[in-house]
Amino acid sequence: DQLAVDRGHVRDLQSRMLQRGAVRRVLHVRGSGHHMSYGASNVTAGALAYTANVDGSVTDINGDAVFSGTPQTAIEKAMTLCPIGKHVEVSRGEYTIGPQLRFYRSIIGNGAKLITDGPVSAVTQYLIAAPSGNFGPTNMVKDIIISGLELDGNTEDYAAKTYGGLQARYAKNIIIENCKVHDFPQSHGIQLQSGYYCTVRGCTISGIGDMERSGHYGNGICSGQMYMDSDANYPAAYNLVEDCDISLCSMVGLNWEPGNNNLSRRVVVHDILPYWMNGSKKVKSRAVTTFSKTGLGAQNGNIYEDCTFTNDGVASSFNGGSIIARRCKFSTPKATDEYGCGWALFIK
């Protein structure tokens, strides 16, 4: 009964957020004697510039056609034409997406469903990144909104190189909101890969990974790896995840690995599934992880508030990183503590 109430609460919040518009404020949480800021701030979608349509056309604000192509090339062309600070609308319909699609302008979905079809030579189907060039702090996407899209992985096979949903790579001050991401066969629904000051809000993630195929693990929302390069070391940091529902992922629901100083609140994680790895079935799955204090998997200073975790607790290893959990609900009296990470000590 409580889980049903929690899910209803998430849906009500999502509905209200659609009515509030796109302007977001930065969230401050007091800790260690100072304020920390989490998530994107002062990001707006801006005025409508172009509309991509399911028939492959692009129209301007006067409704005049300016391009004709495929559903995917229409979205790509609309972004190319769109000035910085304005947005592209993707109109209602089902769009077949083949090659990897990069988002670098604000995208507002109006009943649009993007469906993966065919092999993709990339580890993620949708990428928030510059349209070309290397990934890194000198070539990053900032200050955009991705809203109202349904991303359907269509259970495409990992062997075809398609396995993740939406990834923000070296992205800053991004909002991903009111999106549905489902049925991708491995890795992630939404991943903040070296993303910081990003917000994921009001999203539903389900069916990530495949418990019947070896190696096909799945995380609902995760942070991926740290990038070590000549410019800087950027972990996922100071991100905000709120009012999201995560289910039917084949390993972990919410996984900051690595990721420091992130805030998750009012997130419901349920029905997480076992997974296969190295030819054997791992019977345990986890709602959330806290992995390591140091190294490339470091997870320190992450905060969980008013979250509901209905699987058996938390996984950790290598002397789990520091966390704070406030007013969180677990399906058992306290979190399973397989690796001695001491989660139960932080339940407040």
Side-chain angles (χ1 to χ4, degrees), residues 36-69:
M36 282 190 179
S37 298
Y38 299 87
S41 64
N42 300 318
V43 184
T44 67
L48 172 66
Y50 293 94
T51 300
N53 301 294
V54 74
D55 64 0
S57 67
V58 176
T59 51
D60 62 18
I61 58 174
N62 298 314
D64 296 327
V66 296
F67 175 80
S68 179

XYZ file of all heavy atoms in Angstrom, residues 36-69:
230
model
N 25.876 23.724 0.027
C 26.245 23.115 -1.245
C 25.109 23.332 -2.228
O 23.937 23.322 -1.858
C 26.501 21.616 -1.082
C 27.842 21.268 -0.483
S 28.151 19.482 -0.594
C 29.779 19.397 0.136
N 25.455 23.511 -3.477
C 24.465 23.679 -4.525
C 24.402 22.411 -5.362
O 25.439 21.846 -5.712
C 24.841 24.863 -5.428
O 24.859 26.064 -4.694
N 23.180 21.982 -5.666
C 22.968 20.759 -6.425
C 22.079 21.053 -7.625
O 21.103 21.781 -7.535
C 22.297 19.695 -5.565
C 23.094 19.274 -4.364
C 22.990 19.971 -3.169
C 23.950 18.191 -4.417
C 23.724 19.594 -2.051
C 24.686 17.792 -3.313
C 24.571 18.506 -2.128
O 25.301 18.135 -1.034
N 22.386 20.439 -8.726
C 21.511 20.521 -9.885
C 21.705 21.790 -10.698
O 22.472 22.687 -10.362
N 20.971 21.837 -11.811
C 21.071 22.953 -12.747
C 20.374 24.187 -12.195
O 19.415 24.094 -11.428
C 20.453 22.558 -14.086
N 20.836 25.351 -12.598
C 20.215 26.606 -12.158
C 20.046 27.547 -13.338
O 20.888 27.599 -14.249
C 21.062 27.282 -11.081
O 22.317 27.667 -11.590
N 18.943 28.266 -13.315
C 18.682 29.323 -14.303
C 18.759 28.824 -15.741
O 19.294 29.497 -16.621
C 19.657 30.486 -14.097
C 19.540 31.094 -12.715
O 18.443 31.283 -12.201
N 20.676 31.381 -12.098
N 18.222 27.629 -15.951
C 18.181 27.070 -17.304
C 16.759 27.202 -17.840
O 15.803 26.788 -17.188
C 18.592 25.586 -17.317
C 18.627 25.059 -18.752
C 19.948 25.405 -16.662
N 16.624 27.773 -19.013
C 15.317 27.840 -19.669
C 15.436 27.275 -21.078
O 16.520 27.283 -21.683
C 14.781 29.281 -19.746
O 15.621 30.043 -20.625
C 14.755 29.932 -18.371
N 14.313 26.796 -21.586
C 14.317 26.263 -22.945
C 14.367 27.371 -23.989
O 14.743 27.129 -25.140
C 13.084 25.395 -23.168
N 14.001 28.584 -23.597
C 13.968 29.666 -24.564
C 12.789 29.544 -25.515
O 11.941 28.654 -25.406
N 12.730 30.417 -26.471
C 11.622 30.437 -27.424
C 11.746 29.293 -28.421
O 12.835 28.799 -28.712
C 11.596 31.772 -28.159
N 10.593 28.883 -28.951
C 10.580 27.876 -30.007
C 11.256 28.439 -31.251
O 10.991 29.563 -31.682
C 9.137 27.488 -30.339
C 8.939 26.579 -31.564
C 9.548 25.214 -31.320
C 7.452 26.457 -31.887
N 12.148 27.629 -31.838
C 12.811 28.037 -33.076
C 12.327 27.208 -34.258
O 11.932 27.751 -35.300
C 14.326 27.925 -32.940
N 12.361 25.858 -34.085
C 11.967 24.959 -35.165
C 11.251 23.750 -34.587
O 11.448 23.389 -33.420
C 13.191 24.512 -35.975
C 13.828 25.635 -36.747
C 14.891 26.357 -36.195
C 13.364 25.989 -38.010
C 15.474 27.406 -36.890
C 13.948 27.033 -38.709
C 14.990 27.741 -38.145
O 15.552 28.780 -38.830
N 10.456 23.109 -35.435
C 9.754 21.892 -35.061
C 10.156 20.764 -36.007
O 10.106 20.922 -37.241
C 8.224 22.079 -35.122
O 7.842 23.114 -34.221
C 7.500 20.793 -34.746
N 10.576 19.647 -35.410
C 10.854 18.436 -36.181
C 9.601 17.573 -36.176
O 8.986 17.351 -35.125
C 12.031 17.679 -35.580
N 9.227 17.075 -37.328
C 7.978 16.330 -37.468
C 8.245 14.891 -37.887
O 9.264 14.577 -38.516
C 7.084 17.017 -38.502
C 6.765 18.448 -38.108
O 6.089 18.693 -37.106
N 7.289 19.395 -38.875
N 7.296 14.020 -37.556
C 7.481 12.596 -37.790
C 7.525 12.234 -39.266
O 8.039 11.180 -39.645
C 6.380 11.801 -37.051
C 5.037 11.933 -37.766
C 6.764 10.338 -36.881
N 7.036 13.109 -40.126
C 7.116 12.845 -41.570
C 8.478 13.227 -42.149
O 8.690 13.119 -43.366
C 5.999 13.580 -42.314
C 6.087 15.097 -42.221
O 7.025 15.617 -41.576
O 5.211 15.780 -42.810
N 9.410 13.663 -41.301
C 10.745 14.011 -41.755
C 10.921 15.468 -42.116
O 12.009 15.875 -42.543
N 9.901 16.271 -41.924
C 9.999 17.695 -42.251
C 10.408 18.505 -41.032
O 10.248 18.074 -39.889
C 8.659 18.214 -42.787
O 7.678 18.194 -41.752
N 10.955 19.681 -41.295
C 11.233 20.681 -40.261
C 10.477 21.940 -40.646
O 10.545 22.395 -41.791
C 12.737 20.983 -40.153
C 12.994 22.107 -39.145
C 13.514 19.733 -39.755
N 9.763 22.505 -39.674
C 9.019 23.737 -39.922
C 9.511 24.829 -38.996
O 9.965 24.567 -37.875
C 7.513 23.523 -39.723
O 7.275 22.909 -38.438
C 6.956 22.601 -40.797
N 9.415 26.072 -39.463
C 9.809 27.211 -38.635
C 8.621 27.690 -37.810
O 7.548 27.063 -37.813
C 10.402 28.324 -39.494
C 9.415 28.891 -40.516
O 8.185 28.690 -40.363
O 9.880 29.532 -41.475
N 8.780 28.801 -37.116
C 7.717 29.269 -36.202
C 6.490 29.737 -36.965
O 5.410 29.889 -36.375
C 8.233 30.382 -35.284
C 8.771 31.564 -36.093
C 9.308 29.840 -34.334
C 9.154 32.757 -35.217
N 6.612 29.959 -38.263
C 5.457 30.331 -39.079
C 4.779 29.118 -39.693
O 3.785 29.263 -40.411
C 5.899 31.285 -40.195
C 6.464 32.578 -39.643
O 5.880 33.174 -38.735
N 7.601 33.009 -40.182
N 5.310 27.925 -39.424
C 4.733 26.722 -39.992
C 5.222 26.404 -41.389
O 4.710 25.470 -42.031
N 6.202 27.136 -41.868
C 6.726 26.907 -43.214
C 7.803 25.824 -43.180
O 8.677 25.821 -42.308
C 7.327 28.194 -43.783
C 6.277 29.281 -43.966
O 5.122 28.938 -44.268
O 6.620 30.472 -43.793
N 7.756 24.909 -44.129
C 8.735 23.830 -44.199
C 10.083 24.379 -44.666
O 10.159 25.136 -45.638
C 8.256 22.736 -45.139
N 11.156 23.977 -43.964
C 12.501 24.417 -44.318
C 13.423 23.238 -44.600
O 14.582 23.435 -44.979
C 13.105 25.296 -43.202
C 12.301 26.573 -43.035
C 13.186 24.523 -41.888
N 12.911 22.013 -44.436
C 13.732 20.824 -44.652
C 12.822 19.628 -44.804
O 11.737 19.555 -44.209
C 14.672 20.609 -43.460
C 15.487 19.342 -43.537
C 16.634 19.282 -44.311
C 15.103 18.194 -42.838
C 17.386 18.114 -44.388
C 15.841 17.025 -42.908
C 16.995 16.982 -43.687
N 13.273 18.646 -45.607
C 12.556 17.391 -45.749
C 13.566 16.257 -45.744
O 14.552 16.295 -46.490
C 11.747 17.367 -47.050
O 11.069 16.130 -47.201
N 13.346 15.251 -44.887
C 14.262 14.126 -44.797
C 13.605 12.974 -44.066
O 12.401 12.711 -44.239
